[in-house]
């Protein structure tokens, strides 16, 4: 049974948590004691005996329940007969956009909620743009609260037209529109009889049937070393294993490989997992490689097939989502963490900031503030092996770390000039 990882995003009060609660409740994914606990919490909020607040299923933090908002990314897991699901319920407030970026970073599908009364808003643009920037291939635009606009087909079609016009400037690959009422249960798990004009699938059926496209690139072989295994035992006197993770692609025993930055060619003589030999390993497995030659290899070094050279750069352009209250300034110095490899870098220039209202590039910006999205040029203190994020999310992504506070300050999607 395959797994679909998806996020829910939207403005505050658009009904994200209620939607997830409705999906879990109507698909019978909740245990009886969970339902009873939510019923007690609903009663304490003053709701009638026969009503429960479905948003309480995901708003797990006490602060969230008190305020009725989502602050942190809440993960939920459930399954149907056809598929397993991992849901990232991301915050709606603009100040928590950084948490939304975290939740979106490894999702295959984004559900963007739009309040039928308000239509496309700034947060709709922001969440859609971030999701597209992160390479999420499938979008579902759920026009929620249709019960508050009399289940109007005209209103639904107006929002569809507005969203399509907005999305033209984004790299959105596939968009599906579904009119729903999370509160009433229309078109979430079951088809609504109150919107006979809607001929598409209810949301859960769409999630069960949408093709799962894996983020991983199985063509480009990239292995990054995390640890050198040298047992201090005479039985393994000559043992030297390179433990790490297949970030993309595959490796077999006998494959010729290149080690970077040593620049040496060698051959894979063994692959081990948990002490057991393997003939082959593939992303995203962790494994230990044995090589034919003794080569100076350290944590963060790369192993790849010589005919699949990555870009080796000391300067790189990157799209970034700035996540820190302290703004990014031109000339600022940070650590660039590229999985196991960490190098110092300097912001050479801010190429542009994206205007989230018009989605146009705005040049000559002196800084990027929290939640700004833009493109920068980074100068690295040492060379780095990367791929373009658009072709390989695993090796095209990184984070920026403040060198003084060690806070993560930006999500980074690197670009390679062709």
């Amino acid at each position: 049974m395959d797994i679909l990882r998806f996020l829910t995003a939207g403005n505050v009060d658009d009904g994200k948590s209620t939607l997830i609660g409705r999906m879990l409740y109507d698909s019978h994914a909740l245990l009886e004691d969970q339902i009873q606990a939510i019923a007690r919490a609903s009663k304490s909020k003053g709701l009638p005996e026969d009503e429960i607040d479905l948003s309480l299923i995901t708003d797990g933090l006490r602060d969230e329940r008190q305020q009725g908002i989502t602050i942190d990314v809440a993960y939920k897991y459930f399954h149907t007969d056809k598929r397993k699901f991992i849901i990232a319920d991301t915050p709606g407030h603009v100040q928590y956009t950084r948490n939304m970026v975290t939740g979106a970073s490894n999702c295959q599908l984004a559900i963007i909620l739009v309040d039928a009364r308000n239509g496309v808003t700034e947060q709709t643009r922001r969440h859609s743009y971030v999701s597209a920037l992160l390479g999420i291939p499938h979008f579902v635009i759920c026009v929620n609260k249709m019960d508050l606009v009399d289940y109007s087909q005209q209103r639904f079609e107006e929002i569809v037209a507005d969203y399509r016009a907005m999305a033209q400037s984004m790299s959105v690959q596939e968009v599906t529109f579904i009119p729903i009422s999370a509160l009433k249960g229309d078109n979430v798990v079951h088809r609504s009889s109150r919107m006979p004009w809607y001929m598409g699938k209810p949301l859960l059926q769409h999630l069960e049937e949408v093709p799962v496209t894996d983020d991983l690139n199985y063509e480009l072989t990239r292995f990054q070393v995390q640890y050198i295994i040298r047992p201090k035992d005479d039985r393994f006197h000559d043992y030297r294993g390179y433990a790490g993770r297949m970030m993309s692609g595959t490796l077999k025993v006998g494959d010729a490989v290149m080690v970077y930055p040593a620049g040496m060619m060698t051959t894979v003589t063994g692959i081990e997992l948990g002490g057991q030999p393997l003939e082959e390993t593939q992303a995203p497995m962790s494994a230990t490689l044995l090589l034919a030659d003794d080569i100076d290899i350290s944590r963060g070094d790369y192993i790849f097939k010589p005919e699949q050279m990555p870009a080796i750069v000391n300067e790189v352009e990157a799209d970034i989502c700035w996540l820190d209250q302290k703004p990014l300034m031109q000339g600022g110095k940070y650590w660039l963490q590229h999985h196991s490899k960490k190098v110092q870098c300097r912001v050479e220039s801010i190429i542009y900031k994206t205007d989230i209202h018009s989605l146009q590039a705005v040049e000559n910006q002196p800084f990027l503030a929290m939640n700004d999205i833009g493109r920068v040029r980074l100068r690295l203190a040492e060379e780095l092996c990367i791929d373009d994020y658009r072709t390989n999310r695993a090796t095209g992504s990184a984070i920026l770390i403040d060198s003084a506070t060690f806070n993560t300050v930006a999500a980074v999607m690197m670009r390679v000039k062709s």
Side-chain angles (χ1 to χ4, degrees), residues 34-235:
Q34 291 176 302
I35 296 173
Q36 291 177 2
I38 298 301
R40 287 195 296 273
S42 300
K43 185 179 178 181
S44 69
K45 292 178 63 177
L47 293 178
E49 287 283 349
D50 58 345
E51 290 187 20
I52 63 173
D53 184 349
L54 294 172
S55 68
L56 297 178
I57 294 170
T58 55
D59 288 345
L61 298 177
R62 178 173 298 178
D63 284 347
E64 290 176 333
R65 291 193 178 189
Q66 288 176 344
Q67 299 180 58
I69 63 171
T70 302
I71 296 174
D72 203 352
V73 181
Y75 290 96
K76 283 290 177 184
Y77 311 86
F78 77 107
H79 66 87
T80 64
D81 292 338
K82 297 181 179 179
R83 180 169 279 175
K84 296 179 180 177
F85 301 96
I86 300 175
I87 313 170
D89 180 22
T90 64
H93 280 75
V94 64
Q95 64 264 41
Y96 299 125
T97 299
R98 59 187 183 275
N99 300 36
M100 184 265 168
V101 173
T102 303
S105 60
N106 62 355
C107 284
Q108 301 147 304
L109 182 145
I111 296 177
I112 311 290
L113 277 90
V114 176
D115 188 320
R117 299 167 300 174
N118 303 326
V120 174
T121 66
E122 177 183 333
Q123 279 297 73
T124 310
R125 295 187 184 90
R126 186 184 301 276
H127 290 156
S128 298
Y129 189 79
V130 170
S131 298
L133 196 63
L134 290 169
I136 295 177
H138 305 288
F139 280 47
V140 178
I141 310 304
C142 283
V143 181
N144 192 23
K145 304 188 181 183
M146 289 297 293
D147 53 305
L148 299 182
V149 294
D150 296 327
Y151 300 100
S152 167
Q153 179 181 5
Q154 180 182 349
R155 181 57 183 150
F156 173 71
E157 291 178 348
E158 288 172 354
I159 293 171
V160 170
D162 289 347
Y163 189 90
R164 287 196 187 281
M166 179 202 71
Q168 284 182 346
S169 55
M170 301 181 194
S171 300
V172 177
Q173 300 175 35
E174 178 190 296
V175 186
T176 300
F177 298 90
I178 303 178
I180 67 169
S181 169
L183 183 65
K184 304 294 184 181
D186 295 287
N187 287 334
V188 179
V189 174
H190 307 293
R191 181 178 296 279
S192 171
S193 60
R194 291 177 281 219
M195 290 179 275
W197 46 265
Y198 173 68
M199 306 304 291
K201 304 170 185 173
L203 176 61
L204 184 60
Q205 182 183 351
H206 178 77
L207 297 178
E208 288 179 325
E209 297 177 0
V210 67
V212 173
T213 48
D214 207 314
D215 302 335
L216 296 171
N217 183 316
Y218 291 103
E219 300 297 325
L220 298 175
T221 295
R222 306 286 186 254
F223 183 92
Q224 193 178 39
V225 176
Q226 296 177 341
Y227 186 70
I228 315 300
I229 301 176
R230 290 294 309 273
K232 295 180 179 179
D233 188 319
D234 287 341
R235 293 175 300 169

Side-chain angles (χ1 to χ4, degrees), residues 280-404:
E280 180 179 352
T281 183
Q282 67 177 24
M285 291 176 62
S286 294
T288 299
L289 302 185
L290 306 179
L291 303 179
D293 303 283
D294 288 338
I295 299 174
D296 180 14
I297 299 177
S298 303
R299 174 180 169 83
D301 289 358
Y302 304 88
I303 294 174
F304 45 81
K305 293 179 179 177
E307 67 273 19
Q308 298 178 339
M309 287 282 291
I312 298 173
V313 299
N314 55 19
E315 184 177 282
V316 64
E317 286 188 10
D319 297 313
I320 69 167
C321 300
W322 188 251
L323 310 175
D324 198 43
Q325 291 185 335
K326 182 181 174 183
L328 174 143
M329 307 295 293
Q330 186 165 310
K333 295 180 179 179
Y334 304 93
W335 288 100
L336 180 74
Q337 181 84 51
H338 186 239
H339 303 279
S340 301
K341 188 77 172 181
K342 187 164 69 173
V343 302
Q344 287 185 310
C345 70
R346 179 178 183 274
V347 179
E348 285 287 281
S349 61
I350 299 172
I351 301 171
Y352 63 77
K353 182 179 82 171
T354 299
D355 184 327
I356 207 64
H357 298 282
S358 64
L359 302 180
Q360 299 298 310
V362 182
E363 299 178 349
N364 301 318
Q365 295 297 300
F367 64 87
L368 294 181
M370 188 170 72
N371 297 322
D372 277 349
I373 299 167
R375 183 168 298 174
V376 300
R377 184 175 291 108
L378 303 174
R379 169 71 66 177
L380 311 179
E382 56 185 290
E383 290 181 334
L384 199 66
C385 290
I386 65 166
D387 292 301
D388 191 295
Y389 183 82
R390 294 165 294 183
T391 59
N392 196 347
R393 290 175 73 176
T395 51
S397 61
I399 58 173
L400 283 183
I401 298 173
D402 188 298
S403 56

